[in-house]
Structures are given as structure tokens and as C-alpha cells.
Amino acid sequence: MSVPASGPLQGQRILLCVGGGIAAYKALELVRRLRDAGAAVQVAMTAGAQRFVTPLSFQALSGHPARTTLWDEGAEQAMGHLELARWAERIVVAPATADLLARLAHGQADDLVTTLCLASTAPLAVVPAMNHRMWQHPATVANVALLRSRGVQVIGPDDGPLAEGESGPGRLREPDAIVVELAAFAVPATATAPPGLLQGLKVVVSAGPTYEDLDPVRYLGNRSSGKMGFAVAASAARQGAQVVLVAGPVHLATPPGVRRVDVRSAAQMRDAVAAALPADIYIGAAAVADYTPRAYSPNKIKKTAGGQTLAVDLVRTPDILSEIADRHDAGLKLVVGFAAETDNIADYARSKLVAKRLDLIVANRVGVPGAGFESDDNAMTAYWPGGERDFPPAPKLRLADDLVHLVAERLRGDTR
Ligand code: PMT
């Protein structure tokens, strides 16, 4: 899948910072893909990166000399490093090695790349690539968490064969997929861009799982990663909507231009969604727990002597989607639900459409590889009274755009 030159990266000024790992050669392809998507690209390299790929190769592909050091008088005269930091509307670090992630997390400025990142206010995306043990080391895990908490977009890494003949999480994501993820988190349209499909509308999106606490140690949860709902929120923001994203416990960066409210339980999600109203559109992509423990135990539940079973008394959670669909005071124009099913998808989805009084329901199969929970990809069918549309397998980021287009069509009432 590729991002068209007329897409969200068109005209964006991207500074690509290349780190010193074997995957640096893939950054060459990334420059091409970014330019194909309409972006203007300049490249800065760490000293390590220059041991793997030459600056000349990046110059040939980007159309600009690659910057290699803070101490280059000629380059500084042409465009000082602070000017380059200001020029960038987006900074992408690929490959981001463990060392580079650590230096970025701790605000160091001990070479050109880290100085540029620290001197810029542009949104930062990092694309990690390293040995799987380095990626899983607690130090790297903590550095990545710190970067995420500052709103840094973390793309990948993928799981698979690594350079040293080992296998595991640590592969640089493929350049096409990196560009798709950058496009999904593209900075919302500028004042000069044409108005988006949802311009002037307020959209509330729920995403991710809910956790229902049993005691201070345990909870009931589910496999939702939030990827689908976050992609929908990002897409709606790119189409000009004012977006509130009510997120269950997930590890995803907040899309640009989106107001995020973090919650844990179904009850908290209900309150946060209600507080975000009035709105024009509600899209319920969250996998809300249907049941919660009747009573929370403030002390850890102990094994009883000889007890082989434990019965937990559960009660229904509020059905947020139905409650929202029933509200007539909130100015809602469209209520959209999701249906996660393992079988009889069309029948179950259509009956939820009617039972929950929805305007649109999006059904997807769960429990199969390459779709549903956790996966980057999905396949869906949307149903509305009197119509349906298939969305064949594709990245969630792409499907979210297609769904937002359908939402805009349904609002205009021109889909039958
Ligand atoms: O987060 P990901 O890993 O990307 O995976 C999400 C997904 C890809 C599976 C997503 O597309 C999806 O289907 N999300 C909803 C899953 C779900 O909970 O389906 P459901 O059939 O149990 O619920 C139906 C609808 O009712 C949903 O819109 C849900 O938000 C809503 N609901 C359910 C229970 C409840 N108490 N309140 C609700 O609002």
C-alpha cells in the first residue's frame, strides 16, 4: 500500500535523521517513498550511520546534501543547524538505535542528530531497529515509554529475522508501512488546505479495552489494542473534525489535533463519553467489557485452603453505545458502533444495528490472524438500514480513512 502524492504528506517538510544500524540502508528507500508521497526531505546522519551508507546516496535521493556533523562550516553557512531544525515540520528518526533512543529520551545534544531533535518543536517519530535483546532490555523499554509519554510516535519494530541470524522483535518496519503510519499521524490540514469532509463537526471516538478491577492485583480485560479507534480518531481530525478520543488502557501516541481522555473501566468510559457531549458524531470502537465484578476487593483475593475453584460474581456494565443512541438532547447526527464477532457476522451485526438503534455498524471478524484485535490490519463490513459496504483486508490506518468517508456520505444522506 502506498500514500498518494496528493495525500496528507504532500508538501510536508520532513527531516529524516538516520541512525547507525545495519537497517540504515532501508532509510534510502524511505527517502524515495516519502518523496513519492509528496514530502520534501532533508537528511541528517549520525557518525555511525555514515559507516553503513554514504551521505552521497542520500543527497542523490533527497536532492539536498546530507548533513553529517555540527562542525561543517560550509554546510552551516548554507543553512545553519538551528535553521534546519526550524525548517522541519516533522522529524523522523530511522533507524532509531538503542543508543539514539536513550540519548533522545534524556535530552542529550551531543551530536548533530540529537541537537536537531532538541532544537526543534516539530513532532518527532522514531522507527526503532536493533537486536531483540536490546529492544526488550528494561533500559530501552523505559526510554521508549518516556518518549511515548512526551507524545513521540513510535513506529514498529517488526518481529522477524534480524541481521545477526537471530529472530525476534527489532526489525525496522518496511519503508512503505512507515510512510502509511506517518501519513496517519500527519499534522492536520493547514489553513490553506481545502476544508475536510468533517469540517466544523465534533466527533467523539472511544477506543481500546476497558479493565474491570477485581482486586489491587487482578482485572478482567480484553485484547483490544486501540489501533482501530486511534486510526479513526486521527482520520476524523485530518478531515477537519474537532475530535475527543476516550481511550481505555493502551500504549499508543495521541494523534495530532486530537483531545484524549484516558479511562480504565467501562463506568469511567461511560462518564467520559457523556462528558464529551454534545457532539455531532459518536463512534464506539472500544471493546467495552460487558461484565464487571459485582464487588471490588480492596485486599488481594487469597487462595482458600483446598479450594480448586473460585466463582466471581459479575454484573452487566452500562451499554455506552445504546445509551448514547437513546439520547436526543445531545445534537447527535450519527451514532456508529462496531461489532466484533467470530461467526454469523452479518446476522449479529444487523441485529446489533437494530437493537442498539444505530445509524451504522461496522462488523469485523476477531480470533483470526491478520484482522481484529491487536493486528495492524483488518477487514470490515459496514451495515446501515437498507445498505451495506465491504472494506476488504487493508491496514487499519487505511480502513479508518475509508470509514470516515462513509460516515461523511451517511451524514449527507447520499449512500443507499
Ligand atoms: O483495538 P484493536 O486491537 O484495533 O481492535 C478493535 C477491533 C478491530 C476489534 C474493533 O474494530 C472493534 O470491533 N471494536 C469493538 C469491539 C467490541 O467490543 O464489540 P462488541 O460486539 O462487544 O460491542 C458492540 C458495540 O457496543 C461496540 O461499538 C462497543 O463499543 C459497544 N459497547 C459494548 C459493550 C458496552 N458495555 N458498551 C458499549 O458501548
Side-chain angles (χ1 to χ4, degrees), residues 206 208 223-228 284-290 317-321 337-341 352 356 364 366 372-374 378 396:
S206 70
R223 295 179 191 281
S224 174
S225 62
K227 288 178 186 171
M228 192 72 234
V288 186
D290 289 319
T317 53
D319 190 317
I320 304 168
L321 194 57
F338 271 78
E341 309 291 352
K352 276 182 190 166
K356 299 198 182 203
N364 40 211
V366 292
F373 293 127
E374 294 171 317
N378 206 2
K396 285 177 179 170

Short mmCIF file of all heavy atoms in Angstrom, two decimals, residues 206 208 223-228 284-290 317-321 337-341 352 356 364 366 372-374 378 396, ligand 1:
data_model
loop_
_atom_site.label_atom_id
_atom_site.label_comp_id
_atom_site.label_asym_id
_atom_site.label_seq_id
_atom_site.Cartn_x
_atom_site.Cartn_y
_atom_site.Cartn_z
N SER A 206 -14.51 6.31 20.92
CA SER A 206 -13.97 5.51 22.02
C SER A 206 -13.07 4.43 21.43
O SER A 206 -13.31 3.96 20.32
CB SER A 206 -15.09 4.87 22.84
OG SER A 206 -15.74 3.87 22.09
N GLY A 208 -9.93 1.11 22.36
CA GLY A 208 -9.18 0.28 23.31
C GLY A 208 -10.09 -0.56 24.19
O GLY A 208 -11.32 -0.57 24.05
N ARG A 223 -8.40 -8.12 24.51
CA ARG A 223 -7.22 -7.97 23.66
C ARG A 223 -7.19 -6.70 22.82
O ARG A 223 -6.28 -6.53 21.99
CB ARG A 223 -7.13 -9.16 22.69
CG ARG A 223 -6.91 -10.48 23.37
CD ARG A 223 -6.87 -11.58 22.34
NE ARG A 223 -6.92 -12.88 22.97
CZ ARG A 223 -5.89 -13.49 23.54
NH1 ARG A 223 -4.71 -12.91 23.53
NH2 ARG A 223 -6.03 -14.66 24.10
N SER A 224 -8.13 -5.81 22.98
CA SER A 224 -8.15 -4.61 22.12
C SER A 224 -6.88 -3.77 22.36
O SER A 224 -6.52 -3.48 23.49
CB SER A 224 -9.38 -3.78 22.42
OG SER A 224 -9.33 -2.58 21.70
N SER A 225 -6.25 -3.37 21.26
CA SER A 225 -5.03 -2.56 21.34
C SER A 225 -5.32 -1.08 21.20
O SER A 225 -4.45 -0.24 21.45
CB SER A 225 -4.08 -2.96 20.20
OG SER A 225 -4.72 -2.66 18.96
N GLY A 226 -6.53 -0.75 20.73
CA GLY A 226 -6.86 0.66 20.45
C GLY A 226 -6.48 1.11 19.05
O GLY A 226 -6.81 2.23 18.65
N LYS A 227 -5.80 0.26 18.28
CA LYS A 227 -5.28 0.72 16.97
C LYS A 227 -6.40 1.19 16.04
O LYS A 227 -6.27 2.21 15.37
CB LYS A 227 -4.51 -0.42 16.28
CG LYS A 227 -3.17 -0.71 16.93
CD LYS A 227 -2.47 -1.87 16.25
CE LYS A 227 -1.19 -2.25 16.98
NZ LYS A 227 -0.60 -3.49 16.49
N MET A 228 -7.52 0.43 16.03
CA MET A 228 -8.61 0.80 15.11
C MET A 228 -9.21 2.15 15.51
O MET A 228 -9.35 3.05 14.69
CB MET A 228 -9.67 -0.31 15.13
CG MET A 228 -10.71 -0.21 14.04
SD MET A 228 -10.04 -0.63 12.43
CE MET A 228 -10.50 0.82 11.51
N GLY A 284 -18.17 4.30 18.41
CA GLY A 284 -17.77 3.41 19.51
C GLY A 284 -16.92 2.26 18.99
O GLY A 284 -17.42 1.22 18.62
N ALA A 285 -15.60 2.48 18.98
CA ALA A 285 -14.69 1.42 18.53
C ALA A 285 -14.09 0.67 19.72
O ALA A 285 -13.34 -0.29 19.53
CB ALA A 285 -13.57 2.02 17.68
N ALA A 286 -14.41 1.12 20.93
CA ALA A 286 -13.83 0.47 22.12
C ALA A 286 -14.44 -0.92 22.33
O ALA A 286 -15.60 -1.15 22.01
CB ALA A 286 -14.09 1.33 23.36
N ALA A 287 -13.63 -1.81 22.85
CA ALA A 287 -14.13 -3.13 23.26
C ALA A 287 -14.45 -3.03 24.74
O ALA A 287 -13.62 -3.32 25.62
CB ALA A 287 -13.08 -4.19 22.99
N VAL A 288 -15.65 -2.55 25.02
CA VAL A 288 -16.06 -2.29 26.41
C VAL A 288 -16.42 -3.63 27.05
O VAL A 288 -17.15 -4.43 26.45
CB VAL A 288 -17.30 -1.37 26.43
CG1 VAL A 288 -17.65 -0.97 27.86
CG2 VAL A 288 -17.08 -0.13 25.56
N ALA A 289 -15.94 -3.85 28.27
CA ALA A 289 -16.31 -5.09 28.97
C ALA A 289 -17.82 -5.15 29.15
O ALA A 289 -18.45 -4.14 29.47
CB ALA A 289 -15.64 -5.11 30.34
N ASP A 290 -18.41 -6.31 28.91
CA ASP A 290 -19.85 -6.46 29.10
C ASP A 290 -20.19 -6.70 30.57
O ASP A 290 -21.31 -6.45 30.98
CB ASP A 290 -20.37 -7.62 28.25
CG ASP A 290 -20.35 -7.28 26.77
OD1 ASP A 290 -20.70 -6.13 26.44
OD2 ASP A 290 -19.95 -8.14 25.96
N THR A 317 -22.22 -4.21 32.65
CA THR A 317 -21.75 -2.82 32.62
C THR A 317 -22.79 -1.99 31.87
O THR A 317 -23.64 -2.55 31.17
CB THR A 317 -20.42 -2.74 31.85
OG1 THR A 317 -20.63 -3.35 30.57
CG2 THR A 317 -19.31 -3.44 32.58
N PRO A 318 -22.70 -0.67 31.97
CA PRO A 318 -23.61 0.14 31.15
C PRO A 318 -23.30 -0.06 29.67
O PRO A 318 -22.13 -0.17 29.30
CB PRO A 318 -23.30 1.58 31.58
CG PRO A 318 -21.98 1.52 32.27
CD PRO A 318 -21.82 0.13 32.81
N ASP A 319 -24.33 -0.15 28.83
CA ASP A 319 -24.08 -0.22 27.38
C ASP A 319 -23.98 1.22 26.86
O ASP A 319 -24.98 1.91 26.63
CB ASP A 319 -25.21 -0.98 26.67
CG ASP A 319 -24.82 -1.27 25.23
OD1 ASP A 319 -24.26 -0.37 24.56
OD2 ASP A 319 -25.02 -2.40 24.79
N ILE A 320 -22.74 1.66 26.71
CA ILE A 320 -22.49 3.08 26.38
C ILE A 320 -23.13 3.43 25.04
O ILE A 320 -23.80 4.46 24.89
CB ILE A 320 -20.97 3.34 26.31
CG1 ILE A 320 -20.32 2.94 27.64
CG2 ILE A 320 -20.68 4.79 25.98
CD1 ILE A 320 -18.80 2.88 27.62
N LEU A 321 -22.94 2.56 24.08
CA LEU A 321 -23.44 2.81 22.72
C LEU A 321 -24.95 2.99 22.72
O LEU A 321 -25.47 3.95 22.12
CB LEU A 321 -23.02 1.63 21.84
CG LEU A 321 -23.12 1.80 20.34
CD1 LEU A 321 -22.33 2.98 19.83
CD2 LEU A 321 -22.64 0.51 19.66
N GLY A 337 -21.50 2.12 15.66
CA GLY A 337 -20.98 1.08 16.55
C GLY A 337 -20.07 0.14 15.78
O GLY A 337 -20.04 0.13 14.54
N PHE A 338 -19.31 -0.65 16.53
CA PHE A 338 -18.51 -1.73 15.95
C PHE A 338 -19.08 -3.05 16.47
O PHE A 338 -19.67 -3.09 17.55
CB PHE A 338 -17.04 -1.62 16.36
CG PHE A 338 -16.22 -0.76 15.44
CD1 PHE A 338 -16.29 0.60 15.49
CD2 PHE A 338 -15.37 -1.35 14.51
CE1 PHE A 338 -15.54 1.40 14.64
CE2 PHE A 338 -14.60 -0.57 13.65
CZ PHE A 338 -14.69 0.81 13.72
N ALA A 339 -18.89 -4.11 15.72
CA ALA A 339 -19.29 -5.43 16.20
C ALA A 339 -18.11 -6.37 15.98
O ALA A 339 -17.66 -6.55 14.84
CB ALA A 339 -20.51 -5.92 15.44
N ALA A 340 -17.60 -6.92 17.06
CA ALA A 340 -16.51 -7.89 16.96
C ALA A 340 -17.12 -9.27 17.09
O ALA A 340 -17.67 -9.61 18.13
CB ALA A 340 -15.51 -7.64 18.08
N GLU A 341 -17.06 -10.06 16.03
CA GLU A 341 -17.73 -11.36 16.02
C GLU A 341 -16.76 -12.44 15.55
O GLU A 341 -15.83 -12.16 14.80
CB GLU A 341 -18.93 -11.34 15.05
CG GLU A 341 -19.90 -10.18 15.25
CD GLU A 341 -20.70 -10.27 16.55
OE1 GLU A 341 -20.61 -11.30 17.23
OE2 GLU A 341 -21.38 -9.28 16.90
N LYS A 352 -27.49 -6.11 16.03
CA LYS A 352 -27.00 -5.04 16.94
C LYS A 352 -27.40 -3.66 16.40
O LYS A 352 -27.69 -2.75 17.17
CB LYS A 352 -25.47 -5.10 17.06
CG LYS A 352 -25.01 -6.12 18.09
CD LYS A 352 -23.49 -6.17 18.25
CE LYS A 352 -23.09 -7.36 19.11
NZ LYS A 352 -21.68 -7.68 19.06
N LYS A 356 -29.53 -1.75 19.10
CA LYS A 356 -28.90 -0.58 19.74
C LYS A 356 -29.33 0.73 19.07
O LYS A 356 -28.78 1.78 19.37
CB LYS A 356 -27.38 -0.74 19.74
CG LYS A 356 -26.88 -1.97 20.51
CD LYS A 356 -25.41 -1.90 20.86
CE LYS A 356 -24.95 -3.16 21.59
NZ LYS A 356 -23.77 -2.96 22.41
N ASN A 364 -16.46 -6.68 12.23
CA ASN A 364 -15.19 -7.31 11.87
C ASN A 364 -15.05 -8.65 12.57
O ASN A 364 -15.58 -8.87 13.65
CB ASN A 364 -13.97 -6.43 12.12
CG ASN A 364 -14.00 -5.62 13.39
OD1 ASN A 364 -13.46 -4.54 13.45
ND2 ASN A 364 -14.64 -6.14 14.43
N VAL A 366 -13.09 -11.41 14.61
CA VAL A 366 -11.98 -11.49 15.56
C VAL A 366 -11.60 -12.95 15.75
O VAL A 366 -12.37 -13.85 15.40
CB VAL A 366 -12.33 -10.82 16.91
CG1 VAL A 366 -12.47 -9.32 16.77
CG2 VAL A 366 -13.61 -11.41 17.50
N GLY A 372 -8.87 -7.98 13.18
CA GLY A 372 -9.44 -7.90 14.53
C GLY A 372 -8.47 -7.33 15.54
O GLY A 372 -7.67 -6.44 15.24
N PHE A 373 -8.54 -7.86 16.77
CA PHE A 373 -7.75 -7.30 17.87
C PHE A 373 -6.24 -7.36 17.59
O PHE A 373 -5.75 -8.34 17.03
CB PHE A 373 -8.03 -8.06 19.16
CG PHE A 373 -9.43 -7.86 19.67
CD1 PHE A 373 -10.25 -8.93 19.96
CD2 PHE A 373 -9.94 -6.58 19.87
CE1 PHE A 373 -11.54 -8.74 20.44
CE2 PHE A 373 -11.23 -6.37 20.34
CZ PHE A 373 -12.03 -7.46 20.62
N GLU A 374 -5.54 -6.35 18.01
CA GLU A 374 -4.07 -6.26 18.05
C GLU A 374 -3.40 -6.11 16.68
O GLU A 374 -2.37 -5.48 16.54
CB GLU A 374 -3.45 -7.46 18.78
CG GLU A 374 -3.82 -7.48 20.27
CD GLU A 374 -3.43 -8.75 20.98
OE1 GLU A 374 -3.64 -9.83 20.39
OE2 GLU A 374 -2.92 -8.67 22.10
N ASN A 378 -7.01 -5.17 9.12
CA ASN A 378 -8.37 -5.58 9.45
C ASN A 378 -9.14 -5.76 8.15
O ASN A 378 -8.63 -5.44 7.06
CB ASN A 378 -9.04 -4.50 10.32
CG ASN A 378 -10.13 -5.04 11.22
OD1 ASN A 378 -10.38 -6.26 11.22
ND2 ASN A 378 -10.78 -4.18 11.96
N LYS A 396 -5.32 -0.94 9.16
CA LYS A 396 -6.38 -0.22 9.88
C LYS A 396 -6.35 1.28 9.56
O LYS A 396 -7.38 1.94 9.54
CB LYS A 396 -6.23 -0.44 11.39
CG LYS A 396 -6.69 -1.83 11.82
CD LYS A 396 -6.49 -2.09 13.30
CE LYS A 396 -7.00 -3.49 13.67
NZ LYS A 396 -6.65 -3.93 15.02
O1 PMT B 1 -8.40 -2.15 19.35
P1 PMT B 1 -7.99 -3.06 18.24
O2 PMT B 1 -6.91 -4.05 18.66
O3 PMT B 1 -7.64 -2.32 16.98
O4 PMT B 1 -9.27 -3.99 17.94
C1 PMT B 1 -10.54 -3.38 17.81
C2 PMT B 1 -11.37 -4.02 16.73
C3 PMT B 1 -10.54 -4.08 15.49
C4 PMT B 1 -11.79 -5.40 17.09
C5 PMT B 1 -12.60 -3.03 16.55
O5 PMT B 1 -12.79 -2.85 15.22
C6 PMT B 1 -13.88 -3.49 17.20
O6 PMT B 1 -14.62 -4.32 16.72
N1 PMT B 1 -14.17 -2.87 18.37
C7 PMT B 1 -15.41 -3.16 19.18
C8 PMT B 1 -15.28 -4.49 19.81
C9 PMT B 1 -16.49 -4.83 20.65
O7 PMT B 1 -16.47 -4.63 21.81
O8 PMT B 1 -17.57 -5.32 20.01
P2 PMT B 1 -18.92 -5.78 20.76
O9 PMT B 1 -19.60 -6.56 19.71
O10 PMT B 1 -18.64 -6.45 22.06
O11 PMT B 1 -19.68 -4.42 21.07
C10 PMT B 1 -20.54 -3.81 20.13
C11 PMT B 1 -20.53 -2.32 20.26
O12 PMT B 1 -21.10 -1.94 21.52
C12 PMT B 1 -19.17 -1.68 20.20
O13 PMT B 1 -19.30 -0.47 19.46
C13 PMT B 1 -18.83 -1.36 21.66
O14 PMT B 1 -18.04 -0.20 21.77
C14 PMT B 1 -20.22 -1.11 22.23
N2 PMT B 1 -20.37 -1.44 23.65
C15 PMT B 1 -20.29 -2.74 24.09
C16 PMT B 1 -20.49 -3.03 25.42
C17 PMT B 1 -20.75 -1.97 26.32
N3 PMT B 1 -20.92 -2.21 27.61
N4 PMT B 1 -20.82 -0.70 25.88
C18 PMT B 1 -20.64 -0.43 24.57
O15 PMT B 1 -20.70 0.75 24.18
#
